[in-house]
Amino acid sequence: MRERAFTLIELIVVIMVIAILSALLFPVFQRARAQGTHAVCATQLKQLGLATGLYASEYDDGLMPAQYRSDTDQTPVYDRRWPQLLLPYTRNFKMFRCPSDTFKHPDTSLNDPSSLMRDADALAYRWAERTNYGYNALNLSPAYYSGSEWYVAPVQQSQVTNPSGTILFAETAWEISGGRTTGGGNYIVLPPCRFSFEGGASLDTLGSVSPVYNQASLSPGWSLDFHDKKLVYGGAWAFHGGTMNQAMLDGAVVRRSLPASTVGCDMKPRWQGRIIDRGAYLWDAN
């Protein structure tokens, strides 16, 4: 009996068909994967919103401070950032990292040779700094200067007149390089229209300037020209096809484009611009 084998032409046709099907299906798989990671990030934000409510219920309705000390003793031993304060309610370190941020995060292993991250306090402190969910701290945990020291004074949930229109958390990136995120996220997201210039003077729209929240690492502030810039949008970043997840103070999680996050604000570069409609502005606790 003579065995029949595939001819070379038949093999080429089969390979071409497989290649065409792969080219057609690959974008579908990519979109499905992106939708899956978006859903995970949104769910995590929902859990963090619930954890915030549990924290407030135990602290006389007060929201958590962005960190304990805004000016002095900023060490892993004495200071705590807000993710560390919510950890007892989440019990999961992974809850604070959006899986859509697939690029390099800092080494948080205890064997990190590039730093002194070799004890539990330092490890947790660094991890909390690089969460992908930035806290709207300037509005919800403002810092005030009194005498010779800074004080953090978180607002009470009941003081916020429009919780459904007030951002609690927004997705963040630490740094952008070549259009990609690197270094994890940032535990603070800075709002647009942070300053307004009138009559040659710079006016602080929020009434306070904290040395912690004005870190040089968070420049250059909000800008719609985000390509290859370091931490534009005050640290916020659109991981999901030009949109980002945001947790509102009432517990809802929404997906907004970056321009939609500046409504009510005549946005200028470097956090500048006038708030023209406080009812529509999403970052103000009042």
Side-chain angles (χ1 to χ4, degrees), residues 17-34:
V17 169
I18 293 174
I20 293 171
L21 289 175
S22 298
L24 292 173
L25 293 176
F26 184 69
V28 176
F29 293 145
Q30 279 191 317
R31 287 194 295 270
R33 181 181 179 183

Side-chain angles (χ1 to χ4, degrees), residues 129 174 186-188 210-219 271:
E129 180 184 48
W174 183 261
N186 199 301
Y187 75 113
I188 292 171
S210 166
V212 140
Y213 306 151
N214 278 346
Q215 300 173 67
S217 63
L218 286 170
S219 64
W271 304 296

Side-chain angles (χ1 to χ4, degrees), residues 5-17:
F6 289 108
T7 66
L8 179 60
I9 293 178
E10 288 173 330
L11 288 173
I12 292 175
V13 169
V14 171
I15 292 172
M16 289 179 62
V17 169

Side-chain angles (χ1 to χ4, degrees), residues 82-103:
W82 72 262
Q84 295 167 276
L85 304 180
L86 290 192
L87 187 59
Y89 307 97
T90 63
R91 300 184 181 277
N92 191 339
F93 284 85
K94 294 182 179 180
M95 188 70 68
F96 296 84
R97 178 177 176 179
C98 175
S100 294
D101 185 6
T102 58
F103 300 101

Side-chain angles (χ1 to χ4, degrees), residues 72-173:
T72 59
D73 296 327
Q74 292 184 44
T75 67
V77 176
Y78 299 105
D79 196 11
R80 293 291 183 272
R81 294 187 168 114
W82 72 262
Q84 295 167 276
L85 304 180
L86 290 192
L87 187 59
Y89 307 97
T90 63
R91 300 184 181 277
N92 191 339
F93 284 85
K94 294 182 179 180
M95 188 70 68
F96 296 84
R97 178 177 176 179
C98 175
S100 294
D101 185 6
T102 58
F103 300 101
K104 184 175 176 58
H105 278 231
D107 185 358
T108 53
S109 70
L110 292 177
N111 297 317
D112 179 5
S114 64
S115 67
L116 298 178
M117 298 294 125
R118 292 183 175 85
D119 62 83
D121 285 329
L123 180 64
Y125 195 64
R126 186 183 191 188
W127 155 81
E129 180 184 48
R130 301 299 181 91
T131 172
N132 283 122
Y133 305 116
Y135 185 21
N136 182 16
L138 276 175
N139 288 290
L140 300 178
S141 177
Y144 300 96
Y145 189 75
S146 178
S148 59
E149 295 186 10
W150 288 88
Y151 297 90
V152 177
V155 304
Q156 292 183 308
Q157 282 187 309
S158 57
Q159 293 177 320
V160 182
T161 57
N162 184 19
S164 64
T166 303
I167 292 174
L168 174 62
F169 301 120
E171 291 174 332
T172 59

